[in-house]
Amino acid sequence: MSGDTRHGVGVSPGTAVGPVVQVAPPVRPPADEPAPADAGAATDLVLEALAAVAADLDARAEGADAHAQPIIKATAMIARDKGLAKAAGKQVGSGKGPATAIAAAVDEYAAQFEALGGYFAERVTDLRDVGDRAVAHVLGVPAPGVPTLEAPSVVVAHDLAPAQTAALDRNHVAAIVTAAGGRTSHTAILAAQMGIPAVVQLHGATEIPEGTSVAVDGDAGEVTIDPDMALIEAQRERRERRAAALARVSGPGATRDGHPIALLANIGGVDDAVAAGAQDVEGVGLFRTEFLYLSASSLPSVDEQTAIYAAVLKPFGDRRVVVRTLDAGADKPLAFADLGEEENPALGRRGLRLCQAMPELIDSQLSALAMAAKETGADVRVMAPMVATAEEAAWFASRVKAAGLPKSGVMIEVPAAALRSRHVLAEVDFGSLGTNDLAQYTMAADRMEGELSDLLDPWQPAVLDVVAAACAGGAEHGKPVGVCGESAGDPLLALVLAGLGVSSLSMAPKKVSAVRLALSLHTLDECQALAEVARAARTAADAREAVRAAASEELTAIL
């Protein structure tokens, strides 16, 4: 009989079995670190440590893929933050040793970020990772992180900073398990992009002894300690059944009765584009353009942008590529687009709001996209993030038209835009639901607050009601509404979304096959019935279980 099965939150699908490798907790400053004899020299040591951390992260970013690169570079920017360096220097001036000063400055900054909430709170894990690395540098010990793996292992930690996850050797990481984390954290998204099964919010994860065999189910959110051969064999058989079932379907997405649901990829740069372009997808539903800006000290020129965009567009030929214009601000500050401090940046001038304040940002981007589209002959469609009103949608559409691009759209990630979509979508050609932020704003729950994972569950009936409202508004004008949030890659939820009226689903390319299979096993009428079942449920868990019970057994047998 199998051992103890514990339940967390599954954030990346798949199953795996392997020995536990615990990520050691970070090195802490000595409790008795003496006051520096030379405050100036100690301050120089702190600055040198932060600079070394930034340089190391930059080097790691150069070897990372397109999804990981901007995340690692953003962490490097934290290490270069002048305010953090100043705060640490102030701590040295108060008589603290360099390691203690860094830790104290990080604690001070972390408290401020947590108080701000939203996107700033998301960066606390990154901030502490920078602090831990700098403390290790000062003490002359190895930086924290995942140890070198000699064989496929299950990596277990209290939490993993995005920079740590991005640096994982996917050939030796069978699965990831953390005690903290959330459904839409950068680490969860990276794990899904990398195809690594992952479970977060697992109580007692760090107490599992090193080397213990565990079976991880990233779909169910289950971790079984000391699994018996029956469970291991059952997981193996399920993987084989799943692979065989997925191999039977290919081509454009459609329900069993032929209703088209386009299956698209989420990408973040040139490497992603090359990889996704070679796969069986119908194009791109979300091209995140931030990677081009985050490490730049000045606005990239139109020619620089054009060259990058052309390289991204080329692998897709005549397939659609939906480009999200610059989504900066909050957790993605730009050195050349600082509008000053805000009380709550997550609800401030970010996304389209930043571009309205600084039109040169959006105009140069749209000009470059138009030139790249002309050069490649690609089907380019552009959409703006953080749109809340019809006036904002109209402003963006006029900008897109002036640039000579044929199709404009909006991200629907603010409840106001969903509830008034009949007016918002009247101004543009399409809408795309960013379900991660939509759930956060609908449920008033910080997407990085792991303890609120239940509220952020995309199966929440209230979130489904908001999605339904957005689709209904689009239907009034015959405007398509897609989904590019993480919920698009859940095969069961994809059926519900199709039933609500969603016309396209964009996700990590590794998730496309399972969604294609799910759609092929159900008619549109069946999807609509499943959507009604989900919306009628009392809780998110009830909604998922009700849909699972009513869905095709051929599908649920492999999930």
Side-chain angles (χ1 to χ4, degrees):
M1 183 174 180
S2 242
D4 176 25
T5 296
R6 303 180 186 181
H7 297 269
V9 176
V11 294
S12 182
T15 59
V17 177
V20 164
V21 171
Q22 289 280 359
V23 177
V27 177
R28 306 307 303 161
D32 57 351
E33 185 179 24
D38 183 340
T43 299
D44 289 344
L45 181 58
V46 167
L47 298 178
E48 191 272 331
L50 290 170
V53 169
D56 177 66
L57 289 168
D58 280 339
R60 290 172 182 269
E62 291 304 315
D65 63 25
H67 282 289
Q69 194 172 78
I71 293 171
I72 300 175
K73 285 186 175 181
T75 307
M77 287 177 65
I78 293 176
R80 290 193 173 91
D81 186 274
K82 293 180 180 178
L84 178 60
K86 185 177 180 180
K90 186 177 180 181
Q91 294 288 344
V92 170
S94 71
K96 293 184 175 68
T100 305
I102 291 170
V106 166
D107 286 343
E108 179 184 318
Y109 255 51
Q112 293 175 13
F113 280 20
E114 287 166 347
L116 287 171
Y119 280 84
F120 261 78
E122 288 187 24
R123 305 319 300 269
V124 170
T125 301
D126 299 341
L127 173 62
R128 293 200 179 280
D129 184 39
V130 166
D132 293 341
R133 292 171 186 268
V135 167
H137 184 88
V138 164
L139 298 177
V141 298
V146 181
T148 302
L149 305 176
E150 303 297 335
S153 307
V154 176
V155 173
V156 181
H158 173 72
D159 199 3
L160 285 175
Q164 292 175 320
T165 307
L168 291 175
D169 178 357
R170 66 188 70 184
N171 294 319
H172 283 154
V173 179
I176 296 170
V177 176
T178 64
R183 294 179 186 276
T184 59
S185 66
H186 286 309
T187 295
I189 293 170
L190 275 171
Q193 295 285 1
M194 296 166 74
I196 299 173
V199 173
V200 301
Q201 287 292 305
L202 188 81
H203 179 69
T206 57
E207 298 168 12
I208 303 172
E210 182 96 6
T212 301
S213 177
V214 296
V216 179
D217 187 330
D219 295 280
E222 294 179 347
V223 175
T224 301
I225 299 172
D226 291 323
D228 60 19
M229 286 306 300
L231 176 60
I232 294 173
E233 184 63 18
Q235 283 196 355
R236 184 190 64 78
E237 290 178 356
R238 193 172 113 199
R239 285 195 297 270
E240 290 179 353
R241 288 197 308 271
R242 181 186 179 99
L246 298 184
R248 293 199 301 268
V249 291
S250 61
T255 58
R256 196 172 76 232
D257 54 339
H259 178 74
I261 304 289
L263 300 179
L264 309 167
N266 291 343
I267 65 171
V270 178
D271 290 344
D272 276 359
V274 172
Q279 297 186 43
D280 188 6
V281 296
E282 295 170 68
V284 173
L286 173 62
F287 166 33
R288 306 177 181 92
T289 56
E290 289 73 48
F291 78 101
L292 188 58
Y293 298 86
L294 288 179
S295 60
S297 58
S298 60
L299 178 65
S301 70
V302 171
D303 286 345
E304 289 173 324
Q305 293 184 60
T306 300
I308 294 292
Y309 297 147
V312 169
L313 298 175
K314 188 174 180 181
F316 295 97
D318 59 359
R319 290 175 286 178
R320 79 177 80 170
V321 177
V322 180
V323 181
R324 183 180 70 189
T325 56
L326 181 61
D327 187 12
D331 69 330
K332 305 166 186 171
L334 300 178
F336 52 88
D338 184 1
L339 297 179
E341 291 187 9
E342 295 178 307
E343 288 296 323
N344 190 341
L347 301 179
R349 289 181 291 180
R350 52 172 287 227
L352 184 65
R353 299 168 186 176
L354 173 65
C355 291
Q356 286 183 305
M358 303 182 70
E360 63 273 18
L361 297 177
I362 190 74
D363 290 342
S364 67
Q365 185 171 33
L366 293 174
S367 294
L369 284 166
M371 293 172 64
K374 183 176 181 180
E375 178 183 327
T376 61
D379 178 6
V380 177
R381 311 172 189 191
V382 291
M383 61 183 180
M386 283 297 288
V387 171
T389 67
E391 294 93 333
E392 289 174 341
W395 183 89
F396 179 70
S398 67
R399 233 65 189 194
V400 173
K401 183 177 181 181
L405 288 161
K407 291 187 177 180
S408 61
V410 296
M411 289 284 291
I412 300 176
E413 50 198 338
V414 177
L419 296 174
R420 303 294 293 181
S421 63
R422 65 184 182 278
H423 296 297
V424 172
L425 293 179
E427 304 292 342
V428 293
D429 299 300
F430 66 94
S432 186
L433 289 150
T435 51
N436 299 346
D437 270 334
L438 188 62
Q440 173 175 242
Y441 293 128
T442 299
M443 303 303 293
D446 190 330
R447 57 189 279 187
M448 289 306 296
E449 192 66 47
E451 289 75 9
L452 301 181
S453 287
D454 288 346
L455 289 176
L456 291 165
D457 191 328
W459 284 90
Q460 283 288 352
V463 176
L464 297 179
D465 286 346
V466 175
V467 171
C471 292
E476 284 190 27
H477 301 286
K479 302 292 176 68
V481 176
V483 171
C484 61
E486 292 304 304
S487 60
D490 179 335
L492 287 175
L493 191 49
L495 299 174
V496 172
L497 295 173
L500 292 175
V502 165
S503 62
S504 65
L505 298 164
S506 188
M507 65 205 81
K510 290 181 181 295
K511 295 184 176 183
V512 169
S513 294
V515 173
R516 180 186 286 117
L517 174 66
L519 292 169
S520 74
L521 295 173
H522 300 81
T523 66
L524 179 60
D525 285 346
E526 289 169 342
C527 290
Q528 291 170 341
L530 292 173
E532 290 180 10
V533 165
R535 291 183 66 193
R538 178 172 173 271
T539 68
D542 290 346
R544 182 178 178 86
E545 287 309 308
V547 170
R548 187 181 184 94
S552 162
E553 290 185 9
E554 186 176 346
L555 175 66
T556 57
I558 64 169
L559 295 180

